[in-house]
Amino acid sequence: MIDRKSPSLGRKLTGKMIVVQLFSLALFFGLGVFPLVIYPIVSQAGSARAIDPSVSSTLAASFAQVQDGEIVIRPSPEVRDLFVNNPDMYVYAVSDSGATLTLGAVPASAEPLIANLSQVTILDLRTKDASGRFFVRTENSSVGPVHVLIGNGPTVSVVGLLRNATILLAFSIWLVLTLVTVIAIPLIVRRELRGVKLLAEDASQINYENRGDRLRETGVPSELLPLVKAVNATLARLDMSYAGRQKFLAAAAHEVRTPIAILQMRLENSDVFPERQNLLLDVARLATLAEQLLEVQRLGIVKGVLAPLDLREIAELVVEEMAPLALKSGYDLGLDMGDAPVTVTGDNRSLHHALANLVQNAIAHSGGAGTILVRVGTDRTISVTDEGEGIPAEARERIFEPFERLHRAGRGTGLGLNLVYSIMHYHGGSVVVSDSDSGGAKFVLRFPEQVQEWPSLSSL
């Protein structure tokens, strides 16, 4: 099967918004700027030309100083080229202090304008006479503000100026659009999709341990709200179905325990017959299975009573209870613990059950000889070691799965270690298996510093 990466909604929205903006920009220029602004101006301007406005700034840059009421110019190569290429050009300039400058032959038609030149900031004037084309602009120079009149200078096409202005406008809009696209749009899209990411975080927290959790319905886009409500309704139905199943299994396990106990009592009180001992072992196995199923369902329905517990007391009670069975099976059962309390927060009944299961497991699978040692560590651990064959490394994860047995021919139920794993998991701790110093198996129960609350449990 080809693995195709799911498309990013954020990227898709960003890409489509970019396309829409570019299309809007094309419509703006195609249907607005060009037909309504550019075309009418071009039609009116036709082949009209105006004096190049850059000439005045070039001249002002060459103004050096004021001497005897006149502006002294230091001609630059650019200024020389202007007069070489435009021999009829003339210039008249006046500063705010009254200093003047005259270059070229100023016509009589410009004299009325010269008389009031200091009052003009900018002017572009054309007369019917071809020689009556004036351009006035106020420039800053080394001698201060200067009003510069230029006539018969180099010209530029009005249409060319308009084209340049249009290009500059288009570039400015494109630059702004690019900045908005690169910076603003992803931020906006990410912000608007934040509710979807929060939904994903909620969904990632929902599992069999956190029944009752639901997806949030606030801050969610209205388009997704029906889907969220449908998912929450489905989760509610699953919880109800699960609760009913749990109660049924717990009741069934409880009901099965009574006839098994009756059958076991009758076999023990019956006369000796060839299969009596084997039947007693089978009934004992059924009783253990029923008890384990009942404990699993109890954990899944009822929250344990958390309280400070001394691991030494639990270990001492379990060793005391299991010693007769261990001795009868050919083992020495030992207990190693210090004098100081090793306190954890937990449920006494379930932790007692977990440790007892580990000791029973060692008795059942250690070859009927050697020492089984229960050790309570000051680092909030309880270990159970034996001198049997040990557990292969490749099977150490698998043995904690429900109904998984390392020795298929054995009489175990396959629930004991799974129950130990569940009890430790819901105490916030863990159970790990390794090799003991003698080559046998070593199971270690590790407890956290403190359990804040008892989580809801489920079937395994």
Side-chain angles (χ1 to χ4, degrees), residues 25-43 162-163 165-167 169-170:
L25 182 62
L27 288 180
F28 172 71
F29 278 97
L31 301 179
V33 175
F34 286 110
L36 300 179
V37 179
I38 305 299
Y39 179 75
I41 294 177
V42 171
S43 299
L162 185 60
R163 181 184 65 248
T166 303
I167 293 175
L169 176 64

Side-chain angles (χ1 to χ4, degrees), residues 62 73-80:
S62 67
I73 187 172
R74 184 180 296 109
S76 63
E78 292 80 5
V79 173
R80 293 191 181 94

Side-chain angles (χ1 to χ4, degrees), residues 208-209 420-431 455 457:
Y208 68 90
E209 299 174 12
V420 173
Y421 174 85
S422 300
I423 292 171
M424 293 305 299
H425 178 71
Y426 296 117
H427 276 79
S430 63
V431 53
L457 307 176

Side-chain angles (χ1 to χ4, degrees), residues 72 84 102 206:
V72 178
V84 170
T102 303
I206 296 176

Side-chain angles (χ1 to χ4, degrees), residues 47-61:
S47 58
R49 301 184 67 83
I51 293 178
D52 188 349
S54 65
V55 174
S56 62
S57 59
T58 301
L59 290 169

